[in-house]
Amino acid sequence: MIFINGFGFCSSDGSMMKELTDAVGVSLPNNSLIKSDFKKQLRSSGAFVTAGVRASEEALYGSGITEESLATTGIIVTSRIGDQNTTSEFIDELIGYGANQGSPLKFAHSVHNAAASYIAKQFNIYGPAVTAVNFDASFSNGLTLAQCWIEQRTCDSVLLLQIESCSLLTRVLTSYADQCTIQPSEVMETSTFADSKAQCVAACFLLSNHELNTNNTMKIVLSRSEENSNSMKDPLAIESPLGDPIRLLSAILRTQKREVVTVAGKTYLIEKI
Amino acid sequence: MSAVVTGMGCISPAGKNCGVTWNGLLGNNAPELTGISETGQIVFKASLDPAYDSNGIFHRSVDLLTQALDEATADAGLKEISDPSRVGVCIGTTSAGFLNDMEFHRNLREHLIEKKPIKSFLDGNPAEYVKKRLALNGPAMTIINACASGTDAIGVALSWLNGGICDIVIAGGADELHNVSGAGFYSLGVTSEHLCRPFDRNRDGLNLGEGAAVLIMETRESAVRRKRVSDISIEGYSASGDARHITQPDPEGIGIERAIRSALKCAGINAENIGFINAHGTGTIHNDLAESHAFFRIFGDKCPYFSTKGKTGHTLGAAGAIEAVITALTLRKQKLPGSCRYQNPDPDIPIQPAPAMDVSAKYALSTSLAFGGCNSALIIKYESNRI
């Protein structure tokens, strides 16, 4: 049994839970708003990292986690495609200016675990951090690993995220991964395929082996289930490249008592007790 | 919390398989295949068997991975898998996680999308590739944690096995020499136009390399069921973050110290039980300084250590896995290969690496430090009477 002590969803342009909660029909208390200014820290990081940091802050805020516990929290960042945009921008520099003219700042930020690194630095987290990129079951893999870490006492809490980019390049890759048809070569009208400033979205969950904020009137727990999923009402009115985490988040926001949700073929029970 | 290793495979600039790799670590000569990158830096190449060269269908990382995979599965006798849903795959990489085909990006600037590089990228996610190749049905996860990817893939595998998620996990790492990563490391000023010399006073940077390594990890029960006996086991793993800088390690090695101490606790042993350390030892000023300081604080001057990157180069996402295999082979041989081209003690390094020498070791430690402040430590055990 895992406790969901916090959750967050955002896009890199700053729009937060409002879109999702409007779709689900649930209104969040004011503590869902960003309280601190990350802009200076994140100015060089790109949209992928920014989305991850903002979603993490959303999940941590009001969770009741102490600084001491946060220091040993684990971080798992998952993605289907990863941050191809920052890589593409670095490659553009090599093409445009030569192999020895690449920006070290761009290269450093192009590695897929940059987001986990920023999250760790921003929140003073010294626990294990893993970044995984898989077209299939990326979030599900992350959830399984988070459960292992918590159950095996590797860490008491885990920040589990999925981050995706909404750039045209990522949409092309995703559509191909999902076996949609693209032409062998296509002429596109837009001038920018890969842009590290392109909108990115992220969802984050703070999972723990116990309830962190004992002031909460209700705790949310997650466990594996053998029941069939009844989450047919998926309020994905929002166009989002996140699939499984949004499904999980929607179920958390929507359910009054209990709901069974499917994440990459595995069923989980969410209970509010 | 341990897992047995019933099979290993490895290809690196030091050699085309496990046996050749270990012998290739001896002496101070450069690896057989060296080259010069576009930015004028020395790089080390692996000798890929032509039978595994997909000629661009897959990333070279995947070709290297396949060669190591076949050696490992043969070593483990893993021909028929009774329950594919109980076999997982966890592979670390860096290059194979990026769509970094230069020609693709040149065409993209002209608003043209070429299909072949996309297919190569999508079909070449390393863990998903292995899962498909062996018709497996367990979890498949590709870890992209920069230079600690291979070690962390082994750590994830250990978690799965101990959590009852899998009975067998194919774990490892793979990476290739690539113009993009070469240019990237050059831009950071950490590569060398000379042959690298880890921990040496005159070290001036790393040489990039390529390769792959695979370990077949199992629960003891699974190994017994398959009638496989192994003398090597993974006894402990831990990871810790610096939370400090996006590329440079903590200068005092606080993060790697934390990871090592936690791994020792995980393995249920003390520092004095470690017979030797296979260090990350890249040959950069910062890494070698930070790591050696951490070693000294934990082990004093009692534990010999060495770096193999003078022979393998820095193989990035494959490094942790290649070094885990080398650590296991070193335990079997009970002989340290030494650190290639180390000659001049650095007064800032509190304890110097060990030369080639015989040891009597039951446990060994392998360490990895990565961009993003990731630090990972792996403890491997050898029981000679199990064979």
Side-chain angles (χ1 to χ4, degrees), chain A residues 18-58:
Chain A
K18 190 175 184 306
E19 283 184 0
L20 181 62
T21 55
D22 281 353
V24 179
V26 172
S27 52
L28 285 180
N30 284 336
N31 63 6
S32 67
L33 301 174
I34 291 180
K35 294 297 182 185
S36 55
D37 179 17
F38 288 133
K39 287 179 186 171
K40 191 175 176 187
Q41 296 286 330
L42 295 174
R43 69 187 187 280
S44 308
S45 66
F48 194 88
V49 168
T50 300
V53 173
R54 286 177 179 265
S56 299
E57 188 195 34
E58 175 78 356

Side-chain angles (χ1 to χ4, degrees), chain B residues 230-283:
Chain B
S230 174
D231 54 350
I232 295 291
S233 58
I234 308 294
E235 293 292 322
Y237 161 82
S238 189
S240 176
D242 288 342
R244 185 182 169 273
H245 193 275
I246 194 161
T247 54
Q248 286 183 14
D250 178 280
E252 295 298 316
I254 304 289
I256 189 62
E257 179 185 355
R258 203 180 293 121
I260 293 170
R261 291 193 190 280
S262 177
L264 288 169
K265 193 175 167 188
C266 176
I269 60 174
N270 298 317
E272 48 266 31
N273 296 125
I274 297 291
F276 63 85
I277 307 166
N278 187 347
H280 189 58
T282 56

Side-chain angles (χ1 to χ4, degrees), chain A residues 76 81 83-84 87-88 90-92 94-96 99-100 102-104 107-114 117-118 120-121 124-136 141-142 144-145 148-149 152 154 169 172-173 176-177 182-191 193-194, chain B residues 1 38-39 97-102 104-106 108-109 111-115 118-119 121-123 125 127-128 139-146 152 156 158-160 162-163 165 179-181 183-188 237 239-247 258 371-374:
Chain A
I76 299 173
I81 300 286
D83 185 8
Q84 300 298 332
T87 300
S88 189
F90 178 71
I91 292 175
D92 273 351
L94 303 183
I95 292 170
N100 57 357
S103 159
F107 178 68
H109 286 88
S110 71
V111 292
H112 286 322
N113 68 329
S117 169
Y118 265 83
K121 184 167 182 270
N124 297 317
I125 298 174
Y126 305 97
V130 155
T131 297
V133 177
N134 284 93
F135 310 121
D136 290 333
N141 284 338
T144 299
L145 183 60
C148 285
W149 280 4
Q152 294 166 33
T154 302
L169 175 61
V172 166
L173 294 173
Y176 203 102
I182 64 168
Q183 299 303 312
S185 65
E186 288 184 11
V187 176
M188 308 295 282
E189 297 196 2
T190 182
S191 61
F193 275 95
Chain B
M1 189 171 161
E38 273 189 332
T39 50
F98 296 96
L99 179 51
N100 52 12
D101 184 295
M102 299 282 284
F104 172 85
H105 285 276
R106 279 196 186 91
L108 205 59
R109 281 153 68 104
H111 303 175
L112 294 170
I113 298 176
E114 289 300 319
K115 193 174 173 180
I118 293 180
K119 188 167 169 37
F121 167 63
L122 296 178
D123 290 345
N125 180 284
E128 292 178 7
M141 204 165 183
T142 297
I143 305 296
I144 308 188
N145 255 17
D152 291 336
V156 169
L158 193 61
S159 292
W160 286 351
N162 284 298
I165 307 294
N179 289 339
V180 175
S181 46
F185 277 82
Y186 173 80
S187 73
L188 291 169
Y237 161 82
S240 176
D242 288 342
R244 185 182 169 273
H245 193 275
I246 194 161
T247 54
R258 203 180 293 121
F371 283 179
C374 296

